[in-house]
Amino acid sequence: MTPTQKKELPTNPADHTHESIRVLIPRERLKKRIRELAKKIRKDFQGEPLHLVGVLKGAVFFLADLARQIPGEVSFDFIAVSSYGDRTHSSGQVRLTRDLDSSIEGKTVIVVEDILDTGMTMQYLLSIFQQRKPKHLRVAALLDKPDRRVTAVQADYVGFRIPNEFVVGYGLDYAERYRNLLDVGVLTIGKAAKKKNRKKSATDV
Ligand code: IMP
Ligand code: MG
């Protein structure tokens, strides 16, 4: 869940001069792909009210853009979780920090997440939601890092499959920063960050 160059983190946490970001998915590609996902979701559930559940905070922009591209009846709600462990090591244990406002019983629910990494967060969420008896339960993830998966969880709707690199922007953060970037980019940390941040690409799914 973190940049790999852990040893080279600046000693002063306020010093971000050694962080470099290379654009991986430009805003136009995000927009186009989200339009496609919205179309696919509506096609799969024609005429049905859809209830989107966004996972705070990373999924806010994805949910906002996705919801506005889905025609017909759409409602949404938010949930927040945190995983135990520090910034560099996730223990895999997930804790609910904010529950939904309303019941999902009998609803067609699409869980909207920024990224599927190990899959622990989504596994936890799906187990909670399943118990609440939705009519349908699906997952939409903007990004998927399949190399990191330790669970059997898969998304029904995936925006982009990306290499095993730490990404920020369009809602995704590093220590709460960079969420406001319009593009998704690869973050590299360390003295030679700019040089190291070489090109690898994202695949449309
Ligand atoms: P998982 O439980 O390992 O699948 O992790 C999911 C959560 O970890 C995501 O919702 C993100 O908040 C965070 N995460 C995983 N990979 C990245 C990344 O590359 N950049 C930013 N956040 C990430
Ligand atoms: Mg998240």
Side-chain angles (χ1 to χ4, degrees):
M1 331 211 327
T2 54
T4 44
Q5 293 79 6
K6 191 181 132 205
K7 305 185 287 295
E8 299 173 31
L9 280 172
T11 43
N12 173 4
D15 174 13
H16 310 139
T17 52
H18 296 313
E19 295 176 8
S20 137
I21 294 163
R22 168 176 55 79
V23 173
L24 182 69
I25 312 171
R27 61 203 76 172
E28 303 77 34
R29 250 182 109 190
L30 291 168
K31 195 174 172 193
K32 179 165 175 275
R33 185 69 186 136
I34 291 166
R35 219 183 296 133
E36 291 169 358
L37 293 181
K39 216 171 151 185
K40 176 82 169 55
I41 291 170
R42 180 41 84 204
K43 199 169 160 232
D44 290 350
F45 297 100
Q46 287 177 30
E48 278 203 44
L50 295 171
H51 191 62
L52 308 185
V53 168
V55 186
L56 292 172
K57 302 172 228 169
V60 287
F61 300 127
F62 178 37
L63 183 140
D65 287 343
L66 186 69
R68 288 178 293 176
Q69 293 293 332
I70 300 175
E73 199 177 323
V74 173
S75 56
F76 52 77
D77 201 347
F78 292 97
I79 197 161
V81 290
S82 75
S83 42
Y84 289 106
D86 56 27
R87 213 201 271 172
T88 48
H89 292 95
S90 167
S91 66
Q93 271 179 288
V94 184
R95 184 171 54 102
L96 195 69
T97 58
R98 181 212 187 271
D99 205 343
L100 299 173
D101 288 336
S102 61
S103 163
I104 57 167
E105 190 172 338
K107 293 182 182 171
T108 297
V109 173
I110 318 271
V111 186
V112 180
E113 176 61 307
D114 52 1
I115 185 166
L116 273 187
D117 190 32
T118 64
M120 297 297 294
T121 307
M122 192 51 70
Q123 188 180 50
Y124 171 79
L125 288 174
L126 291 177
S127 71
I128 295 181
F129 293 152
Q130 207 74 69
Q131 292 166 19
R132 300 184 183 181
K133 303 192 169 44
K135 181 176 176 194
H136 299 283
L137 184 57
R138 298 288 186 274
V139 174
L142 179 68
L143 307 173
D144 185 12
K145 268 198 242 179
D147 296 351
R148 294 256 310 160
R149 201 65 41 78
V150 300
T151 63
V153 171
Q154 281 187 354
D156 302 282
Y157 308 97
V158 174
F160 301 89
R161 215 166 271 146
I162 63 166
N164 185 12
E165 300 200 82
F166 194 83
V167 290
V168 294
Y170 196 70
L172 290 126
D173 74 308
Y174 173 58
E176 295 300 326
R177 289 180 291 116
Y178 301 123
R179 291 193 197 275
N180 57 330
L181 300 182
L182 292 165
D183 311 303
V184 169
V186 173
L187 174 71
T188 302
I189 298 173
K191 289 235 162 67
K194 287 218 166 61
K195 220 158 81 186
K196 275 189 205 150
N197 211 342
R198 298 228 172 83
K199 204 171 158 50
K200 278 189 201 155
S201 58
T203 332
D204 291 42
V205 176

